[in-house]
């Protein structure tokens, strides 16, 4: 599902919520989960443990003219339920887009995972002209969920 300021996809993963959460809270795992193809490696990133944590990723994409880094400021954290962050060019404050992974146990060792990419809080008009949101399409988010399913199977 997508609207004018967000894209959201869901999938049932055949793993319990605690296992999914453990996988998602280790930034290094997002290199293999990245459906967009932008993430290259982790520059700095211990396991996410609380809102306020920050991890840094090495990225690459034509939209930024090649290699760059992002700081990811954790904005949502609930054990076995949700983890999310606001992304910013390294060394800057987040300009308004977030990634949120929500987990809902389905009782049989499976978890419904919903991934939301939201840019509704981007207010910088120059940035909105420069970046054509959504930078990551719905199909790429679906790819991330497929990779998560594969990693945990």
């Amino acid at each position: 599902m997508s609207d004018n300021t967000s894209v959201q996809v869901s999938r049932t993963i055949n793993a319990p919520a605690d296992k999914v959460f453990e996988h998602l809270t280790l930034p290094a795992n997002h290199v293999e989960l990245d459906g967009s193809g932008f993430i290259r490696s982790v520059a700095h990133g211990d396991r996410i443990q609380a809102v306020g944590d920050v991890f840094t990723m090495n990225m690459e994409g034509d939209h930024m003219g090649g290699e760059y880094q992002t700081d990811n400021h954790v904005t949502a954290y609930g054990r076995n339920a949700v983890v999310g962050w606001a992304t910013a060019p390294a060394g800057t404050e987040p300009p308004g887009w977030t990634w949120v992974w929500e987990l809902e146990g389905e009782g049989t060792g499976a978890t419904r995972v919903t991934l939301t990419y939201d840019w509704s809080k981007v207010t910088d008009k120059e940035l909105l002209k420069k970046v054509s949101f959504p930078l990551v399409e719905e199909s790429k988010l679906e790819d991330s969920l497929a990779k998560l399913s594969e990693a945990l199977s």
Side-chain angles (χ1 to χ4, degrees):
M1 171 188 85
S2 61
D3 60 27
N4 290 336
T5 59
S6 69
V7 178
Q8 185 177 78
V9 296
S10 295
R11 180 180 181 141
T12 297
I13 306 293
N14 289 319
D18 61 338
K19 187 174 178 187
V20 175
F21 187 79
E22 182 177 309
H23 198 78
L24 291 174
T25 56
L26 192 59
N29 289 335
H30 288 272
V31 176
E32 72 183 38
L33 299 179
D34 176 34
S36 74
F38 296 144
I39 300 174
R40 296 296 175 240
S41 62
V42 177
H44 163 74
D46 296 328
R47 182 172 299 281
I48 297 167
Q49 305 217 11
V51 168
D53 287 356
V54 178
F55 60 97
T56 303
M57 305 297 273
N58 295 315
M59 313 283 286
E60 186 174 1
D62 292 341
H63 63 285
M64 293 292 285
E67 294 181 4
Y68 62 102
Q69 285 188 323
T70 60
D71 288 338
N72 300 280
H73 302 255
V74 177
T75 57
Y77 182 92
R79 180 160 292 288
N80 303 334
V82 64
V83 63
W85 49 86
T87 299
T92 68
E93 288 300 310
W97 63 88
T98 59
W99 300 89
V100 178
W101 299 77
E102 297 173 275
L103 314 178
E104 185 178 337
E106 294 197 331
T108 60
T111 305
R112 185 77 176 165
V113 179
T114 300
L115 172 57
T116 304
Y117 165 45
D118 184 311
W119 59 96
S120 62
K121 294 182 179 142
V122 176
T123 58
D124 182 329
K125 294 190 186 318
E126 290 303 312
L127 178 63
L128 287 168
K129 285 180 191 173
K130 181 180 176 184
V131 176
S132 179
F133 286 100
L135 191 57
V136 180
E137 300 168 3
E138 186 172 336
S139 64
K140 302 300 183 185
L141 272 68
E142 289 170 350
D143 289 348
S144 290
L145 290 179
K147 290 177 180 203
L148 177 64
S149 182
E150 183 178 309
L152 293 173
S153 65

